[in-house]
Amino acid sequence: MSTVTLTIENAIAFITINNPPINATSHSVRSGLVDALDQIDGNDDIRAAILICEGKTFIAGADVSEFGQPPKPPILPDVIKRLEAATKPVIAAIHGHALGGGLEVALGCQYRIADSKAKLGLPEVNLGLIPGAGGTIRLPRLVPVTEAVSMITSGKPVSATKANEIGLLDAIAHGELIDAACDFAQTILDGEMPKPLLLRDPVSVPSTDEWDDITVATKKKARGQTAPLAAISAIRTGIEQGPDAGLAFEREKFIELRDSDQSKALRHIFFAERSVAKLPELKGVAPNPLHQIGVIGGGIMGAGIATASLLAGFDVTIIERDDAACANGRATVEKHLSGSLTRGLISQDRFDALMASLTTSTDYAALADADLVVEAVFEDMAVKHDVFGKLSLHCKADAVLASNTSYLDINDIASRCINPKRVIGLHFFSPAHIMKLLEVVRTDKADAKSLATAFDFARALGKIAVPCGVCDGFIGNRIMSAYRKHCEYMLEDGALPHQIDAAMVEFGFPMGLFAMQDMAGLEISWATRKRLAPFRDPSERYVALGDYLCEMDRFGKKNGLGWYRYDENGKAQPDPEVDALVIAESEKKGITRRDFNSTEIMDVILTAMRNEGDKILSEGIANSADAIDVVMINGYGFPRHKGGPMFMTAKKD
Ligand code: NAD
């Protein structure tokens, strides 16, 4: 069946694209569109056309199967020029998403109408690219340049309401989109044909100073990514030197970026994130239906997990130790949801409904109908055993029982359950209602159905679920522990905490390791080290600097002193007292200190990540190197445009 069909009704032509799943701008769609436009131009009975898509969405991007192949004409820029040259007005009728080439096609149409739930965007920067079919040139001729810059450099789509406000849409359809598009067509039939966007003046023209401000702000947000800055140059060229120069510049930059390391890294992680949870052994395994979620413990993690579950539409029951802890858990969930309300992400009605879907109790009998339970109590094996013993007694036989433990052995936890087959790990990241990453831990005895249910739950929560095996720290914490150890060695060997942090920030991490530790608080890991001290291998190198800080009551940012000294605004300042402590420790151990530059520091960190990653792979803890990259990027601040530690350090042929 053809991907583009043309039908005519009452002098209106309907160009319908049917290219599931996202109506991508594949070759057949591009050539089908040109054919349809030729037919419309040659038919005097037709007075206007409506471009509409079948299925869940308008054109939501390019055809990934054509990536890396020589472009087959007609190429998208030419199809869009053909649309602009149409002799009858074409109305893009948008539902779902108009993204990338999809929005560029809509910009080639004479009018745009969308249903109220539609989203419109140019997300190319997310793949290290800029729009390659005129988006940077046409958009600022329809919307104010600040809006165009924001859409193109952030890659974030805008809602139909916002699109209408800024002039990207001519109308919003209330009711059936197709009916609204037909009604709209009637209002423009006798009007003049609008000028193609390329022939229009930009909506606004920034001054040199304004361009400088835009560039500085974009550079700050881009944190080392080249595509957002290239997008600014393309937009500016199109505005200052005219559309032809702009289009040529955009194309040249697009091709240059497509072949860049950053784009390769971003495409790698894009595909890795989409494939990481696809396990062949779970193909065809039906998950259990999920309605009610239980959460044990309403502390930092439990409240976050409960919030995420409520937002995904589940009924949630939190079990806590006493009424006061129940009230605390409820109050934390309420605070999270109030944040969503204030930011306009949910309505007051939705907020009320979500709070009504939350119950708290001290009685495990309240979990009799729970389909999946996540335990998030204190990190203590005795407490976890107690909780899982109770869950075994009170939950349905097929309820999936998950632990959010960071480090404890979930096989051990499962061993005390009546049915260990349904016990798994669900390792969320803090704040659990915001962080996208979720490590799904396969215990030795977990059955396929429990795992399939866990992945289904993750999908409902909108998480990126990464399967992993049981070990100390799973994928992410294990790699972090490994590179932390090497950072501590570097302290004794000659680096200072702020030098290591500066190298990490320069590399693209949002913050360095020591600043991050200060933020999390130093006392928890101190307690763990003290607990594990009797089991430590005495022959292994041990760096005691973190212990000294805690002994000096330096617990991190919250008490103003940690690896750094914090000023009255909470800003970290390198502390000479800490530097002296570090240097004294080297002397005490008889280590001759040497200088480390940023490149050397990052070499040490990346090598430590790579080596631990290789061990994790050889032990079968991670299914693939891609899984490790997905974890480090989504949970540990590894810069996305570098593709992850395994991608970056892979031997290239
Ligand atoms: P927390 O101290 O903030 O919360 C623990 C909650 O569990 C408390 O509210 C406590 O009252 C409750 N609790 C304790 N024993 C209980 C019992 N027997 N029955 C019911 N409730 C009980 O701790 P947290 O930071 O939320 O961590 C919880 C778990 O999540 C730990 O296993 C931790 O390792 C893991 N985790 C924490 C983080 C993090 O960043 N905080 C990240 C990932 C995983």
Side-chain angles (χ1 to χ4, degrees):
M1 210 187 93
S2 170
T3 53
V4 181
T5 47
L6 184 67
T7 50
I8 302 158
E9 221 175 287
N10 301 330
I12 307 287
F14 294 87
I15 310 168
T16 307
I17 300 177
N18 185 5
N19 187 26
I22 60 157
N23 289 312
T25 52
S26 315
H27 175 253
S28 66
V29 169
R30 301 195 302 270
S31 57
L33 276 174
V34 172
D35 285 351
L37 290 165
D38 288 347
Q39 285 183 55
I40 291 166
D41 275 356
N43 185 335
D44 291 340
D45 294 338
I46 299 173
R47 299 189 60 203
I50 294 172
L51 172 62
I52 196 149
C53 291
E54 293 275 1
K56 286 193 187 142
T57 184
F58 191 74
I59 304 169
D63 184 344
V64 288
S65 69
E66 290 181 10
F67 274 22
Q69 290 178 21
K72 210 165 145 196
I75 59 170
L76 194 60
D78 292 343
V79 176
I80 294 168
K81 278 193 184 151
R82 177 67 189 84
L83 263 168
E84 275 195 329
T87 53
K88 331 260 167 88
V90 182
I91 302 158
I94 300 165
H95 72 295
H97 287 85
L99 295 180
L103 182 54
E104 290 177 300
V105 165
L107 289 173
C109 295
Q110 283 66 31
Y111 296 99
R112 287 148 294 276
I113 175 168
D115 79 14
S116 58
K117 292 204 180 105
K119 295 229 158 90
L120 299 89
L122 292 168
E124 286 82 354
V125 288
N126 296 331
L127 296 181
L129 302 168
I130 60 172
T136 63
I137 313 306
R138 287 189 181 89
L139 191 60
R141 288 173 158 74
L142 194 59
V143 308
V145 71
T146 46
E147 301 291 351
V149 163
S150 159
M151 281 179 72
I152 297 172
T153 61
S154 75
K156 288 196 187 118
V158 295
S159 65
T161 312
K162 169 89 180 173
N164 200 37
E165 271 166 29
I166 62 179
L168 180 49
L169 291 176
D170 297 287
I172 293 189
H174 299 285
E176 282 297 310
L177 176 63
I178 191 113
D179 295 341
C182 289
D183 291 347
F184 182 83
Q186 295 305 322
T187 68
I188 51 116
L189 282 183
D190 297 321
E192 264 185 42
M193 192 70 172
K195 246 191 196 179
L197 289 181
L198 283 191
L199 299 183
R200 295 191 207 174
D201 289 333
V203 175
S204 51
V205 179
S207 65
T208 307
D209 284 351
E210 283 166 336
W211 276 122
D212 289 347
D213 291 346
I214 289 171
T215 308
V216 168
T218 306
K219 202 168 186 170
K220 198 164 164 217
K221 278 196 214 138
R223 287 220 317 266
Q225 288 192 56
T226 47
L229 290 166
I232 301 279
S233 304
I235 297 169
R236 188 169 180 176
T237 307
I239 290 176
E240 292 185 345
Q241 297 176 33
D244 289 342
L247 284 176
F249 183 90
E250 182 197 73
R251 193 76 201 152
E252 188 189 318
K253 275 282 160 204
F254 174 82
I255 291 167
E256 186 185 308
L257 289 168
R258 194 185 57 194
D259 297 334
S260 69
D261 285 346
Q262 286 199 3
S263 180
K264 284 180 195 155
L266 287 162
R267 277 179 278 159
H268 153 73
I269 203 68
F270 176 87
F271 291 114
E273 283 172 354
R274 276 150 191 80
S275 62
V276 72
K278 289 193 181 124
L279 298 182
E281 63 269 31
L282 296 187
K283 204 161 178 233
V285 180
N288 289 339
L290 293 171
H291 303 290
Q292 195 191 324
I293 304 301
V295 179
I296 317 297
I300 298 174
M301 294 307 290
I305 296 163
T307 305
S309 306
L310 287 166
L311 284 167
F314 298 114
D315 290 332
V316 176
T317 303
I318 294 179
I319 302 287
E320 258 291 356
R321 293 182 294 172
D322 51 39
D323 290 344
C326 281
N328 264 340
R330 191 175 177 84
T332 313
V333 172
E334 188 165 8
K335 197 174 97 199
H336 294 331
L337 292 176
S338 299
S340 304
L341 180 65
T342 318
R343 275 178 282 132
L345 300 176
I346 54 171
S347 65
Q348 183 67 49
D349 284 353
R350 178 105 197 279
F351 172 87
D352 295 341
L354 294 177
M355 283 309 292
S357 303
L358 173 68
T359 47
T360 58
S361 176
T362 53
D363 184 355
Y364 281 72
L367 296 180
D369 292 328
D371 304 297
L372 182 148
V373 180
V374 187
E375 163 279 308
V377 300
F378 301 138
E379 186 77 337
D380 180 303
M381 191 53 108
V383 183
K384 308 264 186 205
H385 276 154
D386 178 54
V387 167
F388 276 81
K390 288 182 180 140
L391 292 176
S392 280
L393 288 178
H394 287 94
C395 293
K396 300 188 288 197
D398 63 348
V400 175
L401 309 180
S403 173
N404 182 46
T405 179
S406 306
Y407 287 99
L408 298 176
D409 180 351
I410 309 180
N411 284 326
D412 186 355
I413 296 176
S415 68
R416 304 287 183 94
C417 285
I418 294 170
N419 181 1
K421 284 188 195 163
R422 58 183 175 142
V423 178
I424 51 151
L426 284 178
H427 185 227
F428 286 83
F429 289 73
S430 184
H433 59 300
I434 292 176
M435 292 288 282
K436 282 275 206 184
L437 181 63
L438 178 60
E439 287 177 324
V440 178
V441 189
R442 294 177 306 252
T443 51
D444 290 350
K445 299 211 167 121
D447 63 11
K449 200 155 189 80
S450 303
L451 282 170
T453 306
F455 282 106
D456 199 44
F457 178 55
R459 199 167 27 250
L461 263 48
K463 302 289 182 200
I464 299 172
V466 179
C468 62
V470 177
C471 71
D472 200 12
F474 313 120
I475 298 175
N477 280 346
R478 182 165 156 183
I479 290 188
M480 196 175 68
S481 298
Y483 87 77
R484 186 175 56 215
K485 196 162 73 178
H486 285 271
C487 287
E488 289 170 355
Y489 294 165
M490 273 194 282
L491 291 183
E492 286 186 344
D493 291 342
L496 293 169
H498 60 90
Q499 290 170 337
I500 294 179
D501 281 1
M504 290 180 72
V505 171
E506 191 188 315
F507 180 79
F509 280 87
M511 65 168 65
L513 176 73
F514 295 103
M516 197 171 73
Q517 287 183 30
D518 271 359
M519 195 139 107
L522 303 182
E523 71 283 6
I524 299 173
S525 48
W526 186 37
T528 311
R529 286 196 300 276
K530 282 195 284 192
R531 185 165 50 84
L532 297 176
F535 312 105
R536 203 179 293 139
D537 176 358
S539 65
E540 197 186 322
R541 181 172 177 183
Y542 181 73
V543 179
L545 288 164
D547 301 344
Y548 298 160
L549 291 180
C550 292
E551 285 158 13
M552 293 158 70
D553 288 342
R554 301 182 69 119
F555 295 122
K557 192 170 178 183
K558 60 178 167 258
N559 74 336
L561 291 170
W563 290 103
Y564 291 88
R565 172 177 293 276
Y566 291 83
D567 65 19
E568 58 281 5
N569 301 318
K571 202 167 176 309
Q573 308 290 352
D575 189 345
E577 206 181 329
V578 174
D579 295 354
L581 186 78
V582 170
I583 293 165
E585 187 66 0
S586 311
E587 278 169 16
K588 195 167 104 189
K589 289 195 170 177
I591 300 169
T592 309
R593 294 178 66 79
R594 67 175 182 89
D595 288 342
F596 284 84
N597 64 29
S598 299
T599 313
E600 286 166 326
I601 290 171
M602 283 318 301
D603 273 353
V604 170
I605 291 176
L606 290 171
T607 306
M609 288 182 172
R610 173 86 218 181
N611 289 344
E612 198 62 30
D614 283 341
K615 278 190 216 155
I616 284 173
L617 278 177
S618 68
E619 291 167 26
I621 298 296
N623 288 357
S624 63
D626 287 9
I628 297 173
D629 288 338
V630 170
V631 168
M632 296 314 290
I633 283 174
N634 289 289
Y636 296 83
F638 197 98
R640 195 175 175 83
H641 61 277
K642 303 244 157 115
M646 303 305 275
F647 176 80
M648 239 197 115
T649 56
K651 289 198 180 59
K652 312 260 175 350
D653 295 329

